[in-house]
Amino acid sequence: MQIDTAIIGAGAAGMMCAAHAKGRILLVDHARSPGEKIRISGGGRCNFTNLHTDAGAFLSGNPHFAKSALARYTQWDFIDLVDRHGVAWHEKTLGQLFCDTSAKEIIAMLRGLMQQNGVDLRLQTTAQGFAKSPDGFTFSLETDGTTTPVTAKNLVVCTGGKSIPKMGATGLAYDLAAQFGLPVTETRPALVPFTFAKERFANLAGVSAKARVTAGHQSFDEALLFTHRGLSGPAILQASSYWREGEEVSVNLLPDVDLMDRLRRQRKQSGRRNLTTELAAHLPARLVEHLAREIDLTGNLADQSDQHLGSICNNLSDWRLKPTGTEGYRTAEVTLGGIDTDALSAQTMEVKSVSGLYFIGEAVDVTGWLGGYNFQWAWSSAMAAAGALNA
């Protein structure tokens, strides 16, 4: 088989690139269906982009690398694409856009575009034995015991990271990077729940509260969720990308409330009210009960000095917690780190030292915040590569 471009990985980035690249395009994946992470994302409705997308919402060894691709194919471009294909959507919160009905609409849109583009999609197929050749790249396809040798002028690698292995994640992109002499930055689970020893929050499992969670000097104001294993929820997932083992995270349980002022006023107006009763007006009662084991919350409001109230407020606005770890790649939404961006062209995603070789999507050391940013990076990086392939 001789083709123009082989794309390895039929996820968001691979399908987007295949749908827009010209020539004879082969798209290969070992999964039974394309776009599996699209299908399960956003509770099955796919948080496909974010209205506030810019390079500041991404972590990378080079914070400027993503700017070029994001600027040339923006969130507005992808919104226009889904609008033209009749995919109804809504903004949920913080600029996050979701399909009204099902993530399968995004997959169907991309499959339709690929079909129009004449893409040869090979599923339940393994690509292996990659090598550089005078004509580009050679490798073989393995399908149901049948081997097919392939020669491709260009090779686009978009097999993602290590997150959610049950969905078929592998380290193929990193293996190919090593084979072609490309550096790979440290990889870690990101957008992932924290775990704590001895089921510290098991009695609070299911309780949620709005909080400001800070890790690595970065803060996020979103929901926090207590679980049997530890802490989850959007604020925690966001902070996990900035956390390192052994570090503490800071939780402000009342980021939008001047608690000291309210406690003082209530002390004057309702001094006989129990302190825990007053706090339960601002926080879940089960959480207040749990906090009472760590902070002195005994007595009525009238019994509390300004100094003691101040101490309580400080504890609630800067609750220091040290996770034992995270739930790891098993539940991580993305992989932090990846192919070192120094090895790639920011304009084309092509490897500087290997002509015709491209890396796009999650495999690259560009990791977005929770809320549609990583899908936008998939669309933007894919279009950067497709544009270069079409030049």
Side-chain angles (χ1 to χ4, degrees):
M1 182 188 298
Q2 293 189 337
I3 55 173
D4 293 308
T5 300
I7 302 174
I8 312 301
M15 295 174 75
M16 189 70 171
C17 186
H20 293 89
K22 295 178 181 177
R24 294 164 296 172
I25 309 297
L26 171 68
L27 177 60
V28 182
D29 202 297
H30 62 90
R32 297 175 63 90
S33 304
E36 281 294 271
K37 286 186 77 173
I38 297 176
R39 181 181 62 81
I40 67 168
S41 68
R45 291 192 176 185
C46 186
N47 179 193
F48 57 81
T49 192
N50 194 292
L51 295 176
H52 307 307
T53 300
D54 63 34
F58 293 84
L59 292 83
S60 174
N62 178 357
H64 302 291
F65 180 83
K67 290 180 178 178
S68 177
L70 292 172
R72 286 181 295 123
Y73 191 84
T74 70
Q75 60 270 41
W76 310 110
D77 293 315
F78 193 77
I79 291 169
D80 179 65
L81 181 66
V82 299
D83 282 346
R84 284 188 281 113
H85 286 82
V87 178
W89 54 270
H90 62 278
E91 180 184 356
K92 188 174 181 181
T93 182
L94 300 174
Q96 302 171 19
L97 303 190
F98 290 78
C99 298
D100 281 356
T101 54
S102 171
K104 294 178 181 179
E105 289 189 275
I106 299 293
I107 299 173
M109 177 188 75
L110 293 171
R111 292 197 72 161
L113 287 169
M114 291 194 300
Q115 186 174 6
Q116 292 173 22
N117 201 31
V119 174
D120 184 357
L121 174 61
R122 302 290 183 98
L123 298 171
Q124 294 181 279
T125 298
T126 300
Q128 58 190 15
F130 293 91
K132 190 78 173 73
S133 73
D135 297 321
F137 301 87
T138 59
F139 60 96
S140 62
L141 300 180
E142 296 285 341
T143 309
D144 294 330
T146 301
T147 301
T148 305
V150 180
T151 299
K153 294 178 182 177
N154 305 291
L155 179 62
V156 181
V157 182
C158 39
T159 53
K162 302 175 182 178
S163 56
I164 317 183
K166 71 178 182 180
M167 301 300 295
T170 70
L172 178 59
Y174 312 133
D175 295 339
L176 289 174
Q179 178 181 335
F180 289 103
L182 310 182
V184 177
T185 67
E186 178 190 9
T187 54
R188 304 165 50 81
L191 301 182
V192 62
F194 287 135
T195 56
F196 289 80
K198 300 178 181 178
E199 297 185 330
R200 178 174 178 180
F201 300 116
N203 65 312
L204 290 174
V207 173
S208 64
K210 182 177 180 183
R212 177 175 298 143
V213 180
T214 302
H217 307 292
Q218 185 73 37
S219 299
F220 295 94
D221 286 26
E222 293 191 64
L224 173 153
L225 174 68
F226 294 92
T227 73
H228 282 94
R229 293 172 57 85
L231 292 174
S232 187
I236 292 295
L237 299 185
Q238 297 278 37
S240 72
S241 296
Y242 294 85
W243 176 80
R244 289 280 178 167
E245 284 80 358
E247 294 180 350
E248 292 181 323
V249 295
S250 171
V251 177
N252 183 345
L253 289 168
L254 293 164
D256 301 322
V257 176
D258 185 342
L259 184 61
M260 187 64 179
D261 179 65
R262 294 198 182 190
L263 291 177
R264 279 174 167 169
R265 284 192 283 111
Q266 286 298 105
R267 184 174 60 184
K268 288 182 180 179
Q269 298 170 9
S270 308
R272 294 184 179 181
R273 178 177 292 182
N274 190 283
L275 179 57
T276 55
T277 302
E278 177 59 28
L279 290 175
H282 306 286
L283 293 168
R286 284 170 58 194
L287 176 54
V288 174
E289 182 182 346
H290 177 92
L291 290 168
R293 302 172 189 171
E294 302 183 17
I295 307 170
D296 181 9
L297 300 179
T298 57
N300 298 330
L301 284 168
D303 301 327
Q304 314 301 322
S305 66
D306 277 358
Q307 182 178 1
H308 188 228
L309 290 180
S311 175
I312 292 170
C313 293
N314 287 336
N315 277 293
L316 297 182
S317 64
D318 187 17
W319 188 18
R320 295 299 181 102
L321 300 170
K322 183 182 287 187
T324 55
T326 72
E327 292 191 2
Y329 289 116
R330 181 180 64 85
T331 61
E333 296 203 11
V334 291
T335 301
L336 188 68
I339 312 303
D340 195 323
T341 57
D342 285 347
L344 307 176
S345 163
Q347 286 72 41
T348 66
M349 306 304 295
E350 185 176 18
V351 175
K352 295 175 182 177
S353 60
V354 185
S355 177
L357 178 61
Y358 300 77
F359 285 87
I360 60 175
E362 187 184 347
V364 179
D365 177 28
V366 175
T367 305
W369 290 350
L370 184 74
Y373 295 98
N374 288 292
F375 273 127
Q376 185 57 47
W377 170 245
W379 317 135
S380 297
S381 60
M383 292 300 284
L389 292 168
N390 296 342

